[in-house]
Amino acid sequence: MKLIKKFLAGCFLLFGIPFSVVMICEIINPKTADLDKQNAVAALSILTIPSTVMGSWLSWSLVQQKKREQTLLIESEQKRIELVFLELIENNFGKITVLQLARNAQISTQSAKEYLDKKAKELGANFEVNEDGNVSYRFS
């Protein structure tokens, strides 16, 4: 469906824009006969403007659809990470490390650290540092 929309938007715009320009040039040209100007106005209002509007609307709807899809993708990824986080918290009695979250959620360690820092502030977690300097988050 998206491919058809792209094709139709392209066709409408490729027809509408150039012919609109030609018709407008014909209308504003002082050397054009009155009958030709009337025909150009009719062609502009019946063929080229509706085609351009339709192509523009289809293009706009494709952009909006892509934005909605990206939003849904981000939301589903956030929910997936949240589920992994909650599962790890439950299985490890409230203790979690950046590496555990990164590995289990299949995200970068930087993203895991940012996520855990955000959750730590949100939920009031405590921090534990072992002798190797690794930080564990303790959620109660």
Side-chain angles (χ1 to χ4, degrees):
M1 184 66 173
K2 197 185 294 188
L3 185 61
I4 294 171
K5 265 187 171 179
K6 285 181 184 180
F7 176 75
L8 288 175
C11 288
F12 282 129
L13 290 172
L14 285 174
F15 172 79
I17 292 173
F19 284 112
S20 292
V21 171
V22 169
M23 294 301 118
I24 290 170
C25 288
E26 194 72 20
I27 292 167
I28 62 173
N29 185 354
K31 295 179 182 178
T32 305
D34 286 341
L35 183 60
D36 291 339
K37 284 186 180 185
Q38 290 174 355
N39 289 339
V41 169
L44 185 68
S45 59
I46 294 172
L47 297 175
T48 62
I49 289 177
S51 177
T52 305
V53 168
M54 186 61 137
S56 300
W57 179 78
L58 285 170
S59 298
W60 180 81
S61 71
L62 284 167
V63 169
Q64 295 303 314
Q65 181 180 358
K66 181 155 180 108
K67 283 182 182 179
R68 282 191 302 273
E69 288 170 356
Q70 288 175 338
T71 301
L72 289 173
L73 187 64
I74 290 169
E75 287 175 359
S76 68
E77 179 65 9
Q78 290 171 343
K79 287 179 183 179
R80 186 187 67 80
I81 293 171
E82 178 81 12
L83 288 173
V84 171
F85 167 76
L86 292 172
E87 184 178 320
L88 286 169
I89 293 298
E90 186 177 322
N91 292 341
N92 297 321
F93 307 105
K95 187 176 178 181
I96 187 172
T97 65
V98 171
L99 188 58
Q100 286 174 321
L101 182 62
R103 181 181 45 224
N104 287 289
Q106 297 177 348
I107 58 176
S108 70
T109 54
Q110 180 64 32
S111 296
K113 182 171 181 2
E114 290 170 3
Y115 182 86
L116 287 174
D117 288 342
K118 180 182 143 218
K119 281 296 187 184
K121 287 179 186 175
E122 183 182 314
L123 301 173
N126 295 317
F127 302 96
E128 298 174 0
V129 180
N130 65 12
E131 52 277 345
D132 295 331
N134 296 325
V135 177
S136 296
Y137 295 77
R138 169 87 50 198
F139 294 89
S140 52

